[in-house]
Amino acid sequence: MAKNTDSARFRKVDVDEYDENKFVDEEEGGENQSGPTRLKWTLCSDNILQTRTPRYLCLSRCFFERAELLVVRVLSSFKSGDIEKAVGSLDKAGVDLLMKYIYRGFEKPSDNSSAVLLQWHEKALAVGGVGSIVRVLTARKTV
Amino acid sequence: MAYHSFLLEPISCHAWNKDRTQIALCPNDHEVHIYKKDGTKWNKIHELKEHNGQVTGIDWAPDSNRIVTCGADRNAYVWTLKEGAWKPTLVILRINRAARCVKWSPRENKFAVGSGSRLISICYFEQENDWWVCKHIKKPIRSTILSLDWHPNNVLLAAGSCDFKCRVFSAYIKEVEEKPGPTAWGSKMPFGEMLFESGGSVAADQTLVGGGGWVHSVCFSHSGNRLVWTSHDSTVSVAEGGKTGTVNSLSSETLPLLCVTFITENSIVAAGHDCYPVLFVYDGAKGSLTFGGKLDVPKQAAQKGISARERFQNLDRRASETQGTEKDLNSLHKNSIRSLVSFSPPRHIQLNSIVRFKSQISVLEGGRNQCTKFCTTGMDGGMGLWDVKTLESAMKNLKIV
């Protein structure tokens, strides 16, 4: 009888874990100390992550929780001077999404997060106005 | 601009007569009061008492001089003026929740009532029985109808609802009119047919299309080809008949707008929980909606130097050293505006009184095509009369196209 001499290690790989829709970039936590452009990109990539992932694939609640924690971490690592620039680089939909994450972050305060989020809130409010907060309250697609 | 304070209670709804000398309004209770203009004063000449619940909608048919009112008591009455007094005729709407809004059709042979029972009642007069009959539009409405507006062809009806959608229905009644010709919204119009629904086709990355809030107010343009609606998530959206695939929305920075109207084919005035009307400009060629400006000229506060004592007082009270002019609302109305109507008063008087927000807008003069004056009433019990020309000259960057 034939014997399989090739490696069988591939059978132990869990393909679902590497599904690109579940991809969360873990390294970003360590690289947050680099310049503002890198952080801006990170922020935008989060938003892309949110808007492009079809919702029916995000079956688990923990996917959202992980996204929240990541966003709060990213927001906290910005320098106060750069917040305004980062907010200025977002378009209207981005500002609304940012507001949603800010309020989500308020719900689960930890250490210093509320103070940082308040700074973000002030800058986002200046750009988005009261309307962006109304949209957080009335939005049917929550973050 | 003029402001007149009628009462201390909010004005729920109002309607003007044809020559704009009389206004029928509901002072937030079961009655309708009709005021007549006498020089600069307004005198109450009639009180219409028939409803058992709050009157939620009033409309005055300009040509046939009939008033239709609808209320929270699930009834509607059509009032006709006989020998100097208004006589009511009951209209059975066959609804089991409160009626919310009512509108006469352009030819005044029927009217539509939106209600909390998730349907629209189209009522017309049946000659043989000498009685008002109604037909229902039910599908696919899922929640309360908050606002209605008729298309100029007397058949199409736009309805804004609490299920976050704005729809255009056909309200063709074969007993009272002939078949309508094709319009930009469609050509086949049997009764109850839905010709347009907002938020129908949402692309994957357009999270703000059509609005995610209750649709507070809808308005057709003068030609009937454009439809604007405001939503509770602070957005204003415009759709054009024929190009119903694209809906142009603008997320505003203000609080939600409660009432909206076209003042020309391209300019839209809306007002709401912020207490001033705002202008939006729609560019049909580019399909874009832009914010045109705030239509409110606040009193110029006397600029004086701020003393050291005041500085510390402000610091203590408000944690800021500047004079807090934002504390008082610098607007004509000081409470939500609920309705807005185009209008023409003979003269405008500047009144420096404290007012509260607006909730209705009506075009008084010039129609929706070339509005020259409009009127707003609000929760502060007051009515503001706005002159478009004065506003245009007062605000330098304002352009009404």
Side-chain angles (χ1 to χ4, degrees):
Chain A
M1 297 292 265
K3 183 171 186 250
N4 189 2
T5 49
D6 288 335
S7 165
R9 260 195 352 199
F10 69 91
R11 296 185 194 279
K12 301 207 180 94
V13 170
D14 182 357
V15 185
D16 288 326
E17 237 182 285
Y18 293 107
D19 185 27
E20 52 182 13
N21 291 318
K22 284 168 82 181
F23 177 65
V24 176
D25 202 337
E26 291 294 350
E27 315 137 20
E28 275 156 18
E31 286 165 16
N32 279 345
Q33 316 315 322
S34 48
T37 35
R38 172 93 177 145
L39 296 170
K40 204 166 47 176
W41 177 86
T42 315
L43 185 71
C44 293
S45 75
D46 272 338
N47 298 342
I48 295 167
L49 186 84
Q50 177 61 26
T51 52
R52 289 233 182 114
T53 314
R55 292 181 77 77
Y56 57 85
L57 283 179
C58 307
L59 296 169
S60 57
R61 191 68 226 165
C62 70
F63 177 80
F64 286 116
E65 281 165 25
R66 268 196 294 177
E68 267 164 53
L69 289 172
L70 186 61
V71 172
V72 172
R73 246 191 323 168
V74 169
L75 295 182
S76 318
S77 53
F78 266 74
K79 289 199 276 259
S80 344
D82 300 328
I83 293 180
E84 207 166 330
K85 251 202 298 179
V87 174
S89 72
L90 292 172
D91 64 339
K92 276 212 167 198
V95 172
D96 287 345
L97 195 58
L98 176 64
M99 260 313 190
K100 280 190 196 171
Y101 273 113
I102 290 173
Y103 276 96
R104 240 12 199 132
F106 280 144
E107 282 174 37
K108 298 194 178 110
S110 66
D111 310 359
N112 205 24
S113 68
S114 292
V116 165
L117 286 174
L118 274 173
Q119 278 185 306
W120 276 94
H121 186 274
E122 188 199 339
K123 298 288 183 277
L125 188 64
V127 174
V130 191
S132 61
I133 299 182
V134 176
R135 274 182 285 284
V136 172
L137 297 171
T138 57
R140 308 200 58 211
K141 294 187 178 171
T142 54
V143 164
Chain B
M1 269 141 349
Y3 175 80
H4 181 88
S5 174
F6 279 104
L7 349 116
L8 293 172
E9 296 89 29
I11 295 180
S12 320
C13 44
H14 76 269
W16 291 91
N17 70 343
K18 185 172 186 176
D19 53 3
R20 315 308 194 190
T21 52
Q22 294 184 33
I23 183 171
L25 48 87
C26 169
N28 208 33
D29 61 10
H30 305 337
E31 303 170 359
V32 174
H33 296 171
I34 300 187
Y35 285 80
K36 193 180 170 111
K37 199 167 172 67
D38 182 17
T40 58
K41 287 207 287 287
W42 291 87
N43 299 323
K44 193 191 318 189
I45 51 170
H46 290 118
E47 272 185 29
L48 276 47
K49 297 183 218 232
E50 196 74 20
H51 278 281
N52 287 327
Q54 196 205 18
V55 179
T56 50
I58 305 180
D59 201 17
W60 199 321
D63 297 318
S64 52
N65 206 35
R66 287 176 296 181
I67 298 178
V68 62
T69 57
C70 73
D73 58 352
R74 314 190 299 276
N75 289 335
Y77 290 94
V78 175
W79 303 79
T80 28
L81 192 61
K82 287 197 181 98
E83 294 136 21
W86 288 94
K87 295 277 186 291
T89 311
L90 174 66
V91 178
I92 299 199
L93 301 170
R94 294 186 282 131
I95 54 180
N96 52 10
R97 294 284 186 279
R100 247 340 218 97
C101 48
V102 65
K103 270 277 169 87
W104 279 110
S105 70
R107 263 184 245 142
E108 294 161 27
N109 47 9
K110 47 185 185 176
F111 59 89
V113 180
S115 65
S117 32
R118 316 195 297 180
L119 50 82
I120 307 174
S121 298
I122 310 288
C123 308
Y124 60 98
F125 194 68
E126 216 172 51
Q127 279 300 125
E128 309 91 59
N129 297 330
D130 195 25
W131 186 238
W132 287 88
V133 189
C134 79
K135 279 191 174 174
H136 287 164
I137 298 180
K138 275 200 192 147
K139 293 195 185 8
I141 303 169
R142 305 293 308 145
S143 189
T144 307
I145 298 286
L146 286 177
S147 53
L148 293 168
D149 193 37
W150 286 93
H151 187 280
N153 76 351
N154 210 55
V155 171
L156 297 180
L157 181 67
S161 161
C162 272
D163 61 0
F164 319 122
K165 297 208 189 293
C166 170
R167 301 182 176 92
V168 175
F169 289 102
S170 158
Y172 167 63
I173 307 272
K174 62 181 193 300
E175 284 89 344
V176 296
E177 55 200 352
E178 9 23 88
K179 245 184 157 173
T183 65
W185 298 94
S187 42
K188 278 201 169 288
M189 291 177 257
F191 180 81
E193 174 89 0
M194 185 179 76
L195 291 119
F196 167 72
E197 190 184 59
S198 74
S201 52
V202 181
D205 53 341
Q206 275 183 299
T207 43
L208 295 176
V209 165
W214 308 316
V215 179
H216 283 295
S217 169
V218 292
C219 183
F220 270 112
S221 68
H222 181 81
S223 63
N225 289 333
R226 292 187 183 155
L227 181 65
V228 65
W229 66 92
T230 59
S231 175
H232 198 69
D233 62 350
S234 295
T235 56
V236 177
S237 311
V238 177
E240 261 189 279
K243 300 189 228 165
T244 48
T246 49
V247 167
N248 303 292
S249 299
L250 180 67
S251 324
S252 69
E253 293 177 2
T254 57
L255 293 175
L257 297 157
L258 292 173
C259 45
V260 70
T261 184
F262 272 95
I263 51 171
T264 67
E265 195 68 18
N266 296 317
S267 300
I268 294 156
V269 169
H273 285 290
D274 280 319
C275 314
Y276 48 80
V278 284
L279 175 72
F280 293 98
V281 180
Y282 178 70
D283 186 333
K286 283 191 281 185
S288 67
L289 190 59
T290 47
F291 179 68
K294 219 170 98 154
L295 297 177
D296 206 15
V297 185
K299 299 196 307 262
Q300 296 300 337
Q303 296 294 336
K304 55 182 202 276
I306 181 166
S307 72
R309 183 153 191 269
E310 278 171 24
R311 206 185 281 273
F312 280 113
Q313 267 187 341
N314 285 335
L315 198 58
D316 182 43
R317 282 193 212 131
R318 269 181 251 115
S320 88
E321 292 179 352
T322 52
Q323 258 181 339
T325 40
E326 294 92 56
K327 196 164 76 138
D328 315 311
L329 286 168
N330 286 337
S331 52
L332 197 64
H333 275 278
K334 283 211 159 49
N335 208 342
S336 299
I337 299 179
R338 188 137 274 153
S339 88
L340 183 81
V341 162
S342 289
F343 169 78
S344 95
R347 181 189 314 170
H348 21 276
I349 307 123
Q350 204 82 3
L351 285 171
N352 291 330
S353 43
I354 311 285
V355 269
R356 268 171 290 128
F357 65 82
K358 306 181 162 241
S359 30
Q360 195 178 337
I361 274 186
S362 38
V363 171
L364 288 170
E365 192 182 83
R368 291 187 196 158
N369 205 14
Q370 295 256 281
C371 169
T372 47
K373 293 181 169 82
F374 60 89
C375 146
T376 51
T377 58
M379 309 279 275
D380 52 359
M383 170 188 73
L385 300 166
W386 307 79
D387 185 273
V388 170
K389 295 278 177 317
T390 324
L391 288 168
E392 254 184 315
S393 53
M395 275 165 271
K396 293 176 223 110
N397 294 334
L398 199 71
K399 267 196 153 175
I400 301 191
V401 295

